[in-house]
Amino acid sequence: MKLKTIIVEDEETSREILRNYLTKYCPKVDIVGEAANVDEALVLIRNHELDLVFLDVEMPKGNAFDLLEQVGDRSFETVFVTAYNQYAMDALNTHASYYLLKPVSIDELIKAVDYVSEIKTKENALDNKVLTAHTIDKQGKITIPVQDGFEVLSAQDILYCKADDNYTEIFLKNDEKKLVSKTLKFFQDALTYFGFARVHKSYLVNVNEITAYKKGKGGSVVLSSGKEVMVSASQKANLLTYFQ
């Protein structure tokens, strides 16, 4: 599939370089417009059904984060392009699919486009289909430490887990919450076999409890409790494989 794309970059030379690289090395991309600032970018975004936006961080009349805030719900993926690597964490938190440093590496650019193409292909394949999550239906139990010993939890009674620094909050289907002095990575390793997926740096969810997937604001899932959890761009492709 072709990815309808715009380039948002205030430097003309940088736009030209990126345009030439995409044209020569990324045949999956269809560049439908270019913008030099936030205002121009908003016009393009509102007038096109986009799949991908290449976005410089610092621009006249605002920055990339201002632009995404004004856009609100969005179904396109973003690839940040900047000379300043201190924006990496902000990029991830804003659900950028990829982060490219200037001068842009052709190999990294191809990887970025391929990753977005994978996400879009999987999303499109899931549209208007009756789905069954491809999880391993196994019963399992885990133990969590408590003050006077440990407590045993059934894996399938867990709705989702949320990171809290070096602690993890475990949310159960019965509306109980447990605070455990172990990292989310510990529970990711322990629960993956039982149909749990890491969807964000802060969230691990029971895939069997997902009732909806939303493309808006970069992507989110709705759980059976009504809780909506953001899906980071780096975890989208992995999550969508559960529903193919």
Side-chain angles (χ1 to χ4, degrees), residues 31-236:
I31 302 172
V32 298
E34 298 180 12
N37 55 54
V38 169
D39 291 343
E40 292 179 5
L42 280 172
V43 172
L44 289 174
I45 289 169
R46 289 166 178 165
N47 287 315
H48 293 85
E49 290 291 332
L50 298 173
D51 299 304
L52 172 59
V53 173
F54 284 93
L55 190 53
D56 188 16
V57 175
E58 290 291 353
M59 295 174 288
K61 303 180 183 179
N63 60 31
F65 310 111
D66 298 326
L67 173 61
L68 294 178
E69 183 67 25
Q70 291 183 60
V71 170
D73 281 352
R74 62 185 187 274
S75 59
F76 59 81
E77 301 298 319
T78 57
V79 173
F80 280 16
V81 186
T82 183
Y84 306 103
N85 60 13
Q86 68 263 33
Y87 288 114
M89 190 54 66
D90 285 334
L92 294 175
N93 290 340
T94 315
H95 307 289
S97 295
Y98 219 90
Y99 186 89
L100 298 174
L101 281 176
K102 298 177 182 178
V104 173
S105 160
I106 294 172
D107 288 340
E108 288 300 310
L109 178 63
I110 293 171
K111 288 179 184 178
V113 170
D114 285 346
Y115 182 69
V116 172
S117 179
E118 180 184 2
I119 291 173
K120 287 299 179 182
T121 298
K122 288 180 177 179
E123 285 183 342
N124 291 341
L126 296 178
D127 282 346
N128 303 316
K129 288 189 177 181
V130 177
L131 303 174
T132 302
H134 294 291
T135 59
I136 301 174
D137 188 17
K138 294 284 187 180
Q139 296 298 315
K141 296 182 183 295
I142 61 170
T143 61
I144 60 173
V146 294
Q147 189 170 7
D148 57 350
F150 63 84
E151 183 177 352
V152 180
L153 298 178
S154 171
Q156 295 309 309
D157 287 339
I158 299 172
L159 193 60
Y160 67 97
C161 302
K162 180 182 178 183
D164 184 5
D165 291 329
N166 289 324
Y167 289 80
T168 297
E169 293 178 305
I170 299 176
F171 293 81
L172 303 176
K173 294 180 186 177
N174 63 3
D175 294 329
E176 286 188 54
K177 182 175 74 171
K178 310 286 184 180
L179 181 64
V180 185
S181 59
K182 291 185 180 295
T183 65
L184 190 62
K185 179 63 165 61
F186 171 85
F187 288 102
Q188 179 181 351
D189 294 339
L191 293 170
T192 296
Y193 181 72
F194 302 106
F196 283 73
R198 187 77 171 261
V199 297
H200 188 276
K201 67 174 184 176
S202 299
Y203 287 97
L204 178 74
V205 304
N206 185 341
V207 176
N208 287 309
E209 298 300 318
I210 293 175
T211 62
Y213 171 78
K214 297 182 179 181
K215 297 179 183 179
K217 292 187 178 177
S220 64
V221 291
V222 179
L223 303 178
S224 58
S225 65
K227 170 71 174 178
E228 185 170 353
V229 178
M230 298 302 295
V231 178
S232 67
S234 61
Q235 300 295 338
K236 267 188 186 179

Side-chain angles (χ1 to χ4, degrees), residues 7-21:
I7 298 171
V8 183
E9 163 67 65
D10 63 307
E11 297 179 359
E12 185 176 353
T13 301
S14 295
R15 286 201 307 274
E16 183 178 356
I17 290 172
L18 184 55
R19 183 197 319 124
N20 290 339
Y21 281 177

